[in-house]
Amino acid sequence: MKIEKVFVIGAGTMGAGVAQVFAQSDFDVTLVDTGDEIVRRALGMIEGSLTRAVQKGKIDNSRKEEIIKRIRGETDLGKAKEADFVVEAVFESLALKKEIFKQLDEECPPEVILCTNTSSLPITPIAAATKRPQKVIGMHFFNPAPVMKLVEIIRALTTDDETYKIVWDISLQLGKEPVGVNDSPGFASSRILMVMINEAVFALWEGVGDAKAIDDVMKLGMNHPMGPLELADLIGLDICLNVMNVMYEGFQDTKYRPCVLLKKMVAAGYLGRKTKKGFYEYK
């Protein structure tokens, strides 16, 4: 099956980034969400990202317009019947993802591969919500998707070799560097990263140092480009908490328990860059 039309479900930051990545590789992309305003905002984000690429000399205006023309917005999930390939990138809720995949399974032709961009949720139960569990797989992009090279490819227990190979090859076509892992809470990326972030929050909470000191130690001593608390603000503290909860529930191991300070900050609405306040304040 020739893959030309890609549907991206979810027009948040990740969905917009994934849509841009596919369009830049000359796929025709439909970006789907529940409301016109959400879709318009995502298309505006993509245009802004491409404008910055023009300003940096990475592409010219004609290429920018060509990419933009390859992306259209949509609010009807039923249009997924036109898709050759699907990437879901909605909020990290297993119940919501299973519901979406069940509907996609009904709408999409039977040969279409259904990918989830989840950063921590198990792939196997999402696959089990469909009648094509062998064609369901995790395709985990990293933020910002147009810039970050890694795509973590996660096999469900039921994913077949053909699906895995196709997704691997598409990742290469997108200019990414795929890494394959098996289905486990947090996979490899979030399992390692979020424990580090959570431990940094514990260090802050216990008064080991202030946020800048903790981040500077990791940047200057371990050569990390961003400190763990800066990175948490970029990711979103609500997402960090959600991933820690998924791993704590999945492993039933106290080393994955989220720090009380992280819970408090999310409850207060201090979610990082997107709310202008997290471990740092943003203008």
Side-chain angles (χ1 to χ4, degrees):
M1 178 183 178
K2 189 174 182 181
I3 295 173
E4 296 178 337
K5 297 179 180 179
V6 176
F7 271 56
V8 178
I9 315 299
T13 300
M14 283 307 303
V18 170
Q20 180 181 332
V21 167
F22 275 95
Q24 286 176 170
S25 295
D26 298 329
F27 291 92
D28 292 324
V29 181
T30 301
L31 182 58
V32 185
D33 213 306
T34 54
D36 290 328
E37 180 57 35
I38 299 171
V39 173
R40 280 196 297 269
R41 184 167 62 245
L43 295 175
M45 289 167 58
I46 294 169
E47 185 169 5
S49 174
L50 292 170
T51 298
R52 289 190 292 275
V54 171
Q55 292 168 347
K56 293 176 181 178
K58 295 180 178 179
I59 59 173
D60 58 26
N61 269 308
S62 62
R63 178 59 178 156
K64 169 190 165 182
E65 294 304 318
E66 182 184 340
I67 294 168
I68 289 173
K69 286 178 182 177
R70 287 192 172 276
I71 307 171
R72 69 183 179 97
E74 181 58 70
T75 57
D76 181 8
L77 191 59
K79 293 291 181 66
K81 62 174 62 72
E82 303 168 6
D84 299 326
F85 190 85
V86 176
V87 180
E88 166 273 316
V90 304
F91 181 74
E92 292 285 82
S93 163
L94 184 58
L96 176 59
K97 289 179 186 287
K98 288 170 71 174
E99 180 184 337
I100 290 171
F101 271 69
K102 185 176 180 180
Q103 186 174 348
L104 287 170
D105 188 45
E106 294 170 354
E107 300 290 353
C108 294
E111 68 274 14
V112 171
I113 292 171
L114 307 178
C115 305
T116 175
N117 183 55
T118 179
S119 59
S120 62
L121 293 172
I123 311 300
T124 301
I126 297 174
T130 75
K131 296 183 179 68
R132 66 183 87 189
Q134 76 282 5
K135 290 188 173 295
V136 176
I137 193 167
M139 193 178 190
H140 181 200
F141 291 83
F142 289 76
N143 187 33
V147 175
M148 301 296 283
K149 299 294 287 184
L150 175 63
V151 173
E152 193 176 30
I153 301 176
I154 310 103
R155 298 182 72 138
L157 188 63
T158 51
T159 305
D160 64 22
D161 291 341
E162 181 186 24
T163 297
Y164 183 81
K165 184 179 186 309
I166 290 171
V167 173
W168 184 280
D169 290 345
I170 285 177
S171 300
L172 293 175
Q173 190 175 342
L174 297 174
K176 301 301 184 183
E177 296 184 15
V179 175
V181 300
N182 289 318
D183 196 10
S184 178
F187 318 128
S189 56
S190 295
R191 182 172 178 175
I192 296 166
L193 173 63
M194 290 302 174
V195 169
M196 181 186 72
I197 287 175
N198 193 52
E199 194 61 32
V201 182
F202 268 113
L204 178 65
W205 187 45
E206 293 166 2
V208 174
D210 61 18
K212 185 177 184 304
I214 292 166
D215 281 341
D216 283 349
V217 164
M218 298 304 292
K219 288 189 290 186
L220 300 174
M222 284 68 179
N223 205 29
H224 290 196
M226 296 181 72
L229 300 177
E230 290 176 292
L231 183 55
D233 277 357
L234 177 64
I235 294 169
L237 303 195
D238 52 337
I239 294 173
C240 294
L241 177 59
N242 188 65
V243 173
M244 290 306 301
N245 282 330
V246 167
M247 293 194 295
Y248 186 36
E249 181 180 344
F251 290 113
Q252 294 294 297
D253 188 328
T254 55
K255 73 179 179 181
Y256 298 110
R257 72 198 188 285
C259 180
V260 171
L261 177 58
L262 181 61
K263 293 180 178 179
K264 285 183 176 180
M265 292 183 71
V266 172
Y270 300 156
L271 307 183
R273 286 182 178 271
K274 59 189 173 185
T275 59
K276 309 299 183 187
K277 184 175 176 63
F279 295 110
Y280 298 89
E281 292 191 10
Y282 304 88
K283 293 183 180 180

